[in-house]
Coordinates of all heavy atoms in Angstrom, one line a residue:
M1 N -23.8 8.5 4.3 CA -22.8 7.8 5.1 C -21.5 7.8 4.4 O -21.3 7.6 3.3 CB -23.3 6.4 5.3 CG -22.4 5.6 6.2 SD -23.3 4.0 6.6 CE -21.9 3.2 7.4
T2 N -20.4 8.1 5.2 CA -19.1 8.1 4.7 C -18.4 6.8 5.0 O -18.4 6.1 6.1 CB -18.2 9.2 5.4 OG1 -19.0 10.4 5.2 CG2 -16.8 9.3 4.8
H3 N -17.7 6.2 4.0 CA -17.0 5.0 4.0 C -15.5 5.3 4.0 O -15.1 6.2 3.4 CB -17.3 4.0 2.9 CG -18.7 3.6 2.8 ND1 -19.2 2.6 3.6 CD2 -19.7 4.1 2.1 CE1 -20.5 2.5 3.4 NE2 -20.9 3.3 2.5
A4 N -14.8 4.6 4.8 CA -13.3 4.7 4.8 C -12.8 4.0 3.7 O -13.2 2.9 3.4 CB -12.8 4.3 6.2
S5 N -11.6 4.4 3.2 CA -10.9 3.6 2.2 C -9.4 3.7 2.7 O -9.0 4.6 3.4 CB -11.0 4.2 0.8 OG -10.6 5.6 0.8
F6 N -8.6 2.7 2.3 CA -7.3 2.6 2.7 C -6.4 2.6 1.5 O -6.7 2.1 0.5 CB -7.1 1.3 3.6 CG -7.8 1.2 4.9 CD1 -9.0 0.9 5.0 CD2 -7.0 1.7 6.0 CE1 -9.7 0.9 6.2 CE2 -7.6 1.7 7.3 CZ -9.0 1.2 7.3
R7 N -5.1 3.0 1.8 CA -4.1 3.1 0.8 C -2.8 2.8 1.3 O -2.4 3.2 2.5 CB -4.1 4.6 0.4 CG -3.4 5.0 -0.8 CD -3.5 6.4 -1.2 NE -3.6 6.5 -2.7 CZ -4.1 7.5 -3.2 NH1 -4.6 8.5 -2.6 NH2 -4.2 7.5 -4.5
V8 N -2.0 2.0 0.7 CA -0.7 1.6 1.1 C 0.3 2.4 0.3 O 0.1 2.7 -0.9 CB -0.5 0.0 0.8 CG1 -1.1 -0.8 2.0 CG2 -0.7 -0.4 -0.5
H9 N 1.5 2.5 0.9 CA 2.6 3.2 0.1 C 3.9 2.7 0.7 O 4.0 2.4 1.9 CB 2.6 4.7 0.5 CG 3.7 5.4 -0.2 ND1 4.0 5.6 -1.5 CD2 4.7 6.2 0.5 CE1 5.1 6.2 -1.8 NE2 5.5 6.5 -0.5
V10 N 4.8 2.4 -0.2 CA 6.1 1.9 0.1 C 7.1 3.1 0.0 O 7.2 3.7 -1.1 CB 6.6 0.8 -0.7 CG1 8.0 0.3 -0.5 CG2 5.7 -0.4 -0.7
D11 N 7.9 3.4 1.0 CA 8.8 4.5 1.0 C 10.1 3.8 0.2 O 10.7 3.0 0.8 CB 9.1 4.8 2.4 CG 10.2 6.0 2.4 OD1 10.8 6.3 1.3 OD2 10.2 6.7 3.5
P12 N 10.3 4.4 -1.0 CA 11.5 3.8 -1.7 C 12.8 4.1 -1.0 O 13.8 3.2 -1.3 CB 11.4 4.5 -3.0 CG 10.6 5.7 -2.8 CD 9.7 5.5 -1.7
D13 N 12.9 5.0 -0.1 CA 14.1 5.3 0.6 C 14.4 4.3 1.7 O 15.6 4.1 2.1 CB 14.2 6.7 1.1 CG 14.1 7.8 0.1 OD1 14.8 7.5 -1.0 OD2 13.6 8.8 0.3
R14 N 13.3 3.6 2.2 CA 13.5 2.8 3.2 C 13.5 1.3 2.8 O 14.0 0.4 3.4 CB 12.3 2.8 4.2 CG 12.4 4.1 5.1 CD 11.3 4.0 6.1 NE 11.4 5.2 7.1 CZ 11.3 5.1 8.3 NH1 11.1 3.9 8.8 NH2 11.4 6.1 9.1
C15 N 12.8 1.0 1.6 CA 12.7 -0.4 1.2 C 14.1 -1.0 0.9 O 14.9 -0.3 0.2 CB 11.9 -0.6 0.0 SG 11.8 -2.2 -0.8
Q16 N 14.4 -2.2 1.4 CA 15.7 -2.9 1.1 C 15.5 -4.2 0.4 O 16.4 -5.0 0.3 CB 16.5 -3.1 2.5 CG 16.7 -1.8 3.3 CD 17.8 -0.9 2.5 OE1 18.8 -1.5 2.0 NE2 17.6 0.3 2.5
G17 N 14.3 -4.5 0.0 CA 14.0 -5.5 -0.8 C 13.9 -6.9 0.0 O 14.2 -8.0 -0.6
H18 N 13.3 -6.9 1.1 CA 13.1 -8.1 1.9 C 12.0 -8.9 1.2 O 11.8 -10.1 1.5 CB 12.9 -7.7 3.3 CG 14.0 -7.1 4.1 ND1 15.0 -7.9 4.5 CD2 14.3 -5.9 4.4 CE1 15.9 -7.1 5.1 NE2 15.5 -5.9 5.0
N19 N 11.1 -8.3 0.6 CA 10.1 -9.0 -0.2 C 8.9 -9.6 0.7 O 8.2 -10.5 0.2 CB 10.6 -10.1 -1.2 CG 11.4 -9.5 -2.3 OD1 12.0 -10.1 -3.0 ND2 11.5 -8.1 -2.3
R20 N 9.0 -9.4 2.0 CA 8.0 -10.0 2.8 C 6.5 -9.4 2.4 O 5.5 -10.2 2.5 CB 8.2 -9.6 4.2 CG 9.4 -10.4 4.7 CD 9.6 -10.3 6.2 NE 10.9 -10.6 6.8 CZ 11.3 -10.5 8.0 NH1 10.5 -9.9 8.9 NH2 12.4 -11.0 8.3
C21 N 6.5 -8.1 2.0 CA 5.2 -7.5 1.7 C 4.6 -8.3 0.5 O 3.5 -8.7 0.5 CB 5.4 -6.0 1.3 SG 6.7 -5.9 0.0
Y22 N 5.4 -8.6 -0.5 CA 5.0 -9.4 -1.6 C 4.5 -10.8 -1.3 O 3.5 -11.3 -1.9 CB 6.0 -9.3 -2.8 CG 5.5 -9.9 -4.0 CD1 4.7 -9.2 -4.9 CD2 5.9 -11.3 -4.4 CE1 4.3 -9.7 -6.1 CE2 5.4 -11.8 -5.6 CZ 4.5 -11.1 -6.4 OH 4.2 -11.6 -7.6
S23 N 5.2 -11.3 -0.4 CA 4.9 -12.7 0.0 C 3.5 -12.7 0.7 O 2.8 -13.7 0.5 CB 6.0 -13.2 1.0 OG 7.2 -13.4 0.4
V24 N 3.1 -11.8 1.6 CA 1.9 -12.0 2.2 C 0.9 -11.2 1.5 O -0.4 -11.5 1.8 CB 2.1 -11.3 3.7 CG1 3.0 -12.0 4.5 CG2 2.4 -9.8 3.6
S25 N 1.1 -10.4 0.5 CA 0.1 -9.7 -0.2 C 0.5 -9.3 -1.7 O 0.7 -8.2 -2.0 CB -0.2 -8.3 0.5 OG -1.5 -7.7 0.1
P26 N 0.5 -10.3 -2.5 CA 1.0 -10.1 -3.9 C 0.0 -9.3 -4.7 O 0.4 -8.8 -5.8 CB 1.1 -11.6 -4.5 CG 0.2 -12.4 -3.5 CD 0.2 -11.8 -2.3
D27 N -1.2 -9.2 -4.2 CA -2.2 -8.3 -4.9 C -2.0 -6.7 -4.7 O -2.4 -5.9 -5.5 CB -3.6 -8.7 -4.6 CG -4.0 -10.0 -5.1 OD1 -3.4 -10.4 -6.1 OD2 -4.7 -10.7 -4.3
L28 N -1.3 -6.5 -3.7 CA -1.1 -5.0 -3.3 C 0.3 -4.5 -3.6 O 0.5 -3.3 -3.7 CB -1.3 -4.8 -1.8 CG -2.7 -5.1 -1.3 CD1 -2.9 -4.9 0.1 CD2 -3.8 -4.2 -2.0
F29 N 1.3 -5.4 -3.9 CA 2.7 -5.0 -4.1 C 3.2 -5.6 -5.3 O 2.9 -6.7 -5.7 CB 3.6 -5.2 -2.9 CG 3.0 -4.6 -1.6 CD1 2.3 -5.3 -0.7 CD2 3.4 -3.3 -1.2 CE1 1.8 -4.8 0.4 CE2 2.9 -2.8 -0.1 CZ 2.1 -3.5 0.8
E30 N 4.2 -4.8 -6.0 CA 4.9 -5.5 -7.1 C 6.4 -5.2 -6.9 O 6.8 -4.1 -6.2 CB 4.4 -4.8 -8.3 CG 4.4 -3.3 -8.5 CD 3.7 -2.8 -9.7 OE1 3.0 -3.6 -10.3 OE2 3.6 -1.6 -9.7
L31 N 7.2 -6.0 -7.4 CA 8.7 -5.8 -7.3 C 9.3 -5.5 -8.5 O 8.9 -6.0 -9.6 CB 9.2 -7.2 -6.8 CG 8.6 -7.8 -5.5 CD1 9.3 -9.2 -5.3 CD2 8.8 -6.9 -4.4
D32 N 10.4 -4.7 -8.5 CA 11.1 -4.3 -9.7 C 12.2 -5.4 -9.9 O 12.3 -6.3 -9.2 CB 11.7 -2.9 -9.6 CG 12.7 -2.7 -8.6 OD1 13.2 -3.8 -8.0 OD2 13.0 -1.6 -8.2
D33 N 13.1 -5.2 -10.9 CA 14.1 -6.1 -11.3 C 15.1 -6.3 -10.1 O 15.7 -7.4 -10.1 CB 14.8 -5.6 -12.5 CG 13.9 -5.7 -13.7 OD1 12.9 -6.4 -13.7 OD2 14.2 -5.1 -14.8
L34 N 15.2 -5.4 -9.3 CA 16.1 -5.6 -8.1 C 15.5 -6.1 -6.9 O 16.1 -6.2 -5.8 CB 16.8 -4.2 -7.8 CG 17.6 -3.6 -9.0 CD1 18.0 -2.2 -8.6 CD2 18.8 -4.5 -9.4
G35 N 14.1 -6.3 -7.0 CA 13.4 -6.9 -5.8 C 12.9 -5.8 -4.9 O 12.4 -6.1 -3.8
M36 N 13.0 -4.6 -5.3 CA 12.4 -3.5 -4.5 C 10.9 -3.4 -4.8 O 10.4 -3.6 -5.9 CB 13.2 -2.1 -4.9 CG 14.6 -2.2 -4.6 SD 15.1 -2.6 -2.9 CE 16.9 -2.6 -3.1
S37 N 10.2 -3.1 -3.6 CA 8.8 -3.1 -3.8 C 8.1 -1.7 -3.9 O 8.7 -0.7 -3.6 CB 8.2 -3.6 -2.4 OG 6.7 -3.6 -2.4
S38 N 7.0 -1.7 -4.5 CA 6.1 -0.5 -4.7 C 4.7 -1.0 -4.7 O 4.5 -2.2 -4.9 CB 6.5 0.3 -5.9 OG 6.2 -0.5 -7.0
E39 N 3.7 0.0 -4.3 CA 2.4 -0.4 -4.3 C 1.9 -0.6 -5.7 O 2.4 0.1 -6.6 CB 1.6 0.7 -3.5 CG 1.7 2.0 -4.1 CD 2.9 2.9 -3.7 OE1 3.8 2.3 -3.0 OE2 3.0 4.1 -4.0
V40 N 0.9 -1.4 -5.9 CA 0.3 -1.6 -7.2 C -0.6 -0.3 -7.4 O -1.4 0.0 -6.6 CB -0.6 -2.9 -7.2 CG1 -1.4 -2.9 -8.5 CG2 0.5 -4.1 -7.1
G41 N -0.5 0.3 -8.6 CA -1.3 1.4 -9.0 C -1.1 2.5 -8.0 O -0.1 2.9 -7.6
A42 N -2.3 3.1 -7.6 CA -2.2 4.2 -6.7 C -2.3 3.7 -5.2 O -2.3 4.6 -4.3 CB -3.6 5.0 -7.0
G43 N -2.2 2.4 -5.0 CA -2.0 1.9 -3.7 C -3.4 1.7 -2.9 O -3.4 1.4 -1.8
M44 N -4.5 1.8 -3.7 CA -5.7 1.6 -3.1 C -6.0 0.2 -2.6 O -5.7 -0.6 -3.4 CB -6.9 2.2 -4.0 CG -6.9 3.5 -4.4 SD -6.8 4.7 -3.0 CE -8.4 4.4 -2.2
V45 N -6.5 0.0 -1.4 CA -6.7 -1.3 -0.9 C -8.1 -1.7 -1.0 O -9.0 -1.1 -0.3 CB -6.2 -1.3 0.6 CG1 -6.3 -2.7 1.2 CG2 -4.7 -0.8 0.7
P46 N -8.4 -2.7 -1.7 CA -9.9 -3.2 -1.7 C -10.3 -3.6 -0.3 O -9.4 -4.1 0.5 CB -9.8 -4.4 -2.6 CG -8.6 -4.2 -3.5 CD -7.5 -3.5 -2.6
A47 N -11.5 -3.4 0.1 CA -12.1 -3.8 1.4 C -11.5 -5.2 1.8 O -11.2 -5.4 3.0 CB -13.5 -3.6 1.5
G48 N -11.5 -6.2 1.0 CA -11.2 -7.6 1.4 C -9.7 -7.7 1.6 O -9.4 -8.8 2.1
L49 N -8.9 -6.7 1.3 CA -7.5 -6.9 1.4 C -6.9 -6.1 2.5 O -5.6 -6.0 2.7 CB -6.7 -6.6 0.1 CG -7.1 -7.5 -1.1 CD1 -6.3 -7.2 -2.3 CD2 -6.9 -9.0 -0.7
V50 N -7.6 -5.4 3.3 CA -7.2 -4.5 4.4 C -6.4 -5.4 5.3 O -5.2 -5.0 5.8 CB -8.3 -3.8 5.1 CG1 -7.8 -3.0 6.3 CG2 -9.0 -2.9 4.1
S51 N -6.8 -6.6 5.7 CA -6.1 -7.4 6.6 C -4.7 -7.8 6.1 O -3.7 -7.8 6.8 CB -6.8 -8.6 7.1 OG -7.1 -9.4 6.0
Q52 N -4.6 -8.0 4.8 CA -3.3 -8.4 4.2 C -2.4 -7.3 4.1 O -1.2 -7.3 4.4 CB -3.6 -8.9 2.7 CG -4.0 -10.2 2.5 CD -4.0 -10.7 1.1 OE1 -3.2 -10.1 0.3 NE2 -4.7 -11.6 0.8
A53 N -2.9 -6.0 4.0 CA -2.2 -4.8 4.0 C -1.6 -4.5 5.5 O -0.4 -4.1 5.5 CB -3.0 -3.5 3.6
R54 N -2.4 -4.8 6.4 CA -1.9 -4.6 7.8 C -0.8 -5.7 8.0 O 0.3 -5.4 8.7 CB -3.0 -4.9 8.8 CG -4.0 -3.8 8.8 CD -5.0 -3.9 10.0 NE -6.3 -3.2 9.8 CZ -6.4 -1.9 10.0 NH1 -5.5 -1.2 10.4 NH2 -7.6 -1.4 9.8
L55 N -0.9 -6.9 7.5 CA 0.1 -7.9 7.6 C 1.4 -7.5 7.0 O 2.5 -7.7 7.6 CB -0.4 -9.2 7.1 CG 0.1 -10.5 7.5 CD1 0.0 -10.7 9.0 CD2 -0.5 -11.6 6.8
A56 N 1.4 -6.9 5.9 CA 2.5 -6.4 5.2 C 3.2 -5.4 6.0 O 4.4 -5.4 6.1 CB 2.2 -5.9 3.8
V57 N 2.4 -4.4 6.5 CA 3.1 -3.3 7.3 C 3.7 -3.9 8.5 O 4.9 -3.6 8.9 CB 1.8 -2.4 7.8 CG1 2.5 -1.4 8.9 CG2 1.3 -1.6 6.7
A58 N 3.1 -4.9 9.3 CA 3.7 -5.5 10.4 C 4.9 -6.3 10.0 O 5.8 -6.5 11.0 CB 2.7 -6.4 11.1
N59 N 5.0 -6.8 8.8 CA 6.2 -7.8 8.5 C 7.3 -7.1 7.8 O 8.2 -7.8 7.5 CB 5.7 -8.9 7.6 CG 5.0 -10.0 8.5 OD1 5.6 -10.8 9.0 ND2 3.7 -9.9 8.6
C60 N 7.3 -5.8 7.4 CA 8.4 -5.1 6.9 C 9.3 -4.8 7.9 O 9.1 -4.0 8.7 CB 7.9 -4.0 6.1 SG 9.4 -3.1 5.3
P61 N 10.6 -5.4 7.8 CA 11.6 -5.1 8.9 C 12.1 -3.7 8.8 O 12.8 -3.2 9.7 CB 12.7 -6.2 8.7 CG 12.5 -6.6 7.2 CD 11.1 -6.4 6.9
E62 N 11.9 -3.0 7.6 CA 12.4 -1.6 7.5 C 11.4 -0.6 7.8 O 11.7 0.5 7.6 CB 12.9 -1.6 6.0 CG 13.9 -2.5 5.6 CD 15.2 -2.5 6.4 OE1 15.5 -1.4 6.9 OE2 15.9 -3.5 6.4
H63 N 10.3 -1.0 8.1 CA 9.1 -0.1 8.5 C 8.9 0.8 7.3 O 8.8 2.1 7.4 CB 9.3 0.8 9.7 CG 9.6 -0.1 10.9 ND1 8.5 -0.8 11.5 CD2 10.7 -0.4 11.6 CE1 9.1 -1.6 12.5 NE2 10.4 -1.2 12.6
A64 N 8.9 0.3 6.0 CA 8.8 1.0 4.9 C 7.4 1.2 4.3 O 7.2 2.0 3.4 CB 9.7 0.4 3.7
I65 N 6.6 0.5 4.8 CA 5.1 0.5 4.4 C 4.2 1.3 5.2 O 4.2 1.1 6.5 CB 4.6 -0.9 4.3 CG1 5.6 -1.8 3.3 CG2 3.2 -0.9 3.6 CD1 5.2 -3.2 3.4
S66 N 3.5 2.2 4.7 CA 2.4 3.0 5.5 C 1.1 2.5 4.9 O 0.9 2.3 3.8 CB 2.7 4.4 5.3 OG 2.7 4.8 4.0
L67 N 0.2 2.6 5.9 CA -1.3 2.2 5.5 C -2.0 3.4 6.1 O -2.0 3.7 7.3 CB -1.7 0.9 6.1 CG -3.2 0.5 6.0 CD1 -3.4 0.3 4.4 CD2 -3.5 -0.7 6.8
T68 N -2.6 4.2 5.2 CA -3.4 5.4 5.7 C -4.9 5.2 5.3 O -5.3 4.6 4.4 CB -2.8 6.6 5.0 OG1 -2.9 6.4 3.6 CG2 -1.4 6.8 5.4
E69 N -5.7 5.8 6.2 CA -7.2 5.7 6.1 C -7.5 7.0 5.6 O -7.2 8.1 6.2 CB -7.9 5.3 7.4 CG -9.3 5.2 7.3 CD -9.9 4.7 8.6 OE1 -9.1 4.4 9.6 OE2 -11.1 4.7 8.7
A70 N -8.4 7.2 4.6 CA -9.0 8.4 4.1 C -10.4 8.2 3.8 O -10.8 7.2 3.4 CB -8.1 8.8 2.9
P71 N -11.2 9.2 4.1 CA -12.6 9.2 3.8 C -12.7 9.1 2.3 O -12.0 9.8 1.5 CB -13.1 10.4 4.4 CG -11.9 11.3 4.5 CD -10.8 10.5 4.6
E72 N -13.6 8.3 1.9 CA -14.1 8.2 0.5 C -15.0 9.2 0.1 O -16.1 9.4 0.6 CB -14.7 6.8 0.2 CG -14.8 6.5 -1.3 CD -15.3 5.1 -1.4 OE1 -14.7 4.2 -0.8 OE2 -16.2 4.9 -2.2
I73 N -14.5 10.3 -0.7 CA -15.3 11.4 -0.9 C -16.4 11.1 -2.0 O -17.6 11.3 -1.7 CB -14.4 12.4 -1.4 CG1 -13.3 12.8 -0.5 CG2 -15.1 13.8 -1.9 CD1 -12.2 13.8 -0.9
N74 N -16.1 10.6 -3.1 CA -17.0 10.3 -4.1 C -16.4 9.2 -5.1 O -15.4 9.6 -5.8 CB -17.5 11.5 -4.9 CG -18.6 11.1 -5.9 OD1 -18.8 10.0 -6.2 ND2 -19.3 12.2 -6.3
P75 N -16.8 8.0 -5.0 CA -16.2 7.0 -5.9 C -16.3 7.3 -7.2 O -15.5 6.7 -8.0 CB -17.0 5.7 -5.4 CG -18.0 6.1 -4.5 CD -17.9 7.5 -4.1
K76 N -17.2 8.1 -7.7 CA -17.3 8.3 -9.1 C -16.2 9.4 -9.5 O -16.0 9.5 -10.9 CB -18.6 9.0 -9.4 CG -19.8 8.0 -9.2 CD -21.1 8.6 -9.6 CE -22.2 7.5 -9.4 NZ -23.6 8.1 -9.4
I77 N -15.6 10.0 -8.7 CA -14.5 11.0 -8.9 C -13.3 10.3 -9.1 O -12.8 9.6 -8.2 CB -14.4 12.2 -8.0 CG1 -15.6 13.0 -8.0 CG2 -13.2 13.0 -8.4 CD1 -15.6 14.1 -6.9
T78 N -12.5 10.2 -10.4 CA -11.4 9.5 -10.4 C -10.1 10.2 -10.5 O -9.0 9.7 -10.5 CB -11.5 8.5 -11.7 OG1 -11.7 9.6 -12.8 CG2 -12.7 7.6 -11.8
T79 N -10.3 11.4 -10.6 CA -9.0 12.3 -10.6 C -8.4 12.6 -9.2 O -9.2 12.7 -8.2 CB -9.2 13.7 -11.3 OG1 -10.3 14.3 -10.7 CG2 -9.6 13.5 -12.8
E80 N -7.2 12.7 -9.0 CA -6.6 12.9 -7.8 C -6.2 14.5 -7.6 O -5.9 15.1 -8.6 CB -5.3 12.1 -7.5 CG -5.6 10.7 -7.4 CD -4.3 9.9 -7.0 OE1 -3.5 10.5 -6.3 OE2 -4.2 8.9 -7.4
V81 N -6.3 14.9 -6.4 CA -6.0 16.2 -6.2 C -4.5 16.3 -5.8 O -4.1 15.6 -4.9 CB -6.9 16.8 -5.0 CG1 -6.4 18.3 -4.7 CG2 -8.3 16.8 -5.3
Q82 N -3.7 17.1 -6.5 CA -2.3 17.2 -6.2 C -2.0 18.3 -5.2 O -2.8 19.2 -5.2 CB -1.6 17.6 -7.5 CG -1.7 16.6 -8.6 CD -1.1 15.2 -8.3 OE1 0.0 15.2 -7.8 NE2 -1.9 14.2 -8.7
P83 N -1.1 18.1 -4.4 CA -0.7 19.0 -3.3 C -0.2 20.4 -3.9 O 0.3 20.4 -5.0 CB 0.3 18.3 -2.5 CG 0.9 17.2 -3.2 CD -0.2 16.9 -4.3
Ligands
F3S1 FE1 10.7 -3.5 0.9 FE2 9.8 -4.0 3.2 FE3 8.7 -5.2 1.2 S1 11.9 -3.8 2.8 S2 10.3 -5.4 -0.2 S3 8.7 -3.0 1.7 S4 9.0 -6.0 3.0

């Protein structure tokens, strides 16, 4: 059985530092010294935080956050495939 996993990403070219993402989901986003956001780590969203990720997407006025769904190939594989 294949499980879906979700990943968030902040587009640094769009982010203007409104910080709403961090307000609704501090576990998924982190802010730099200028208040610009980026996803924590690789942006993987734990199953229990998917609704928070959707809330962050909906609340960013710059549409800077993307939430993508990807099939989980094998949780034991930790290396990423580069394009
Ligand atoms: Fe940036 Fe949008 Fe968050 S502008 S700080 S990604 S709410």
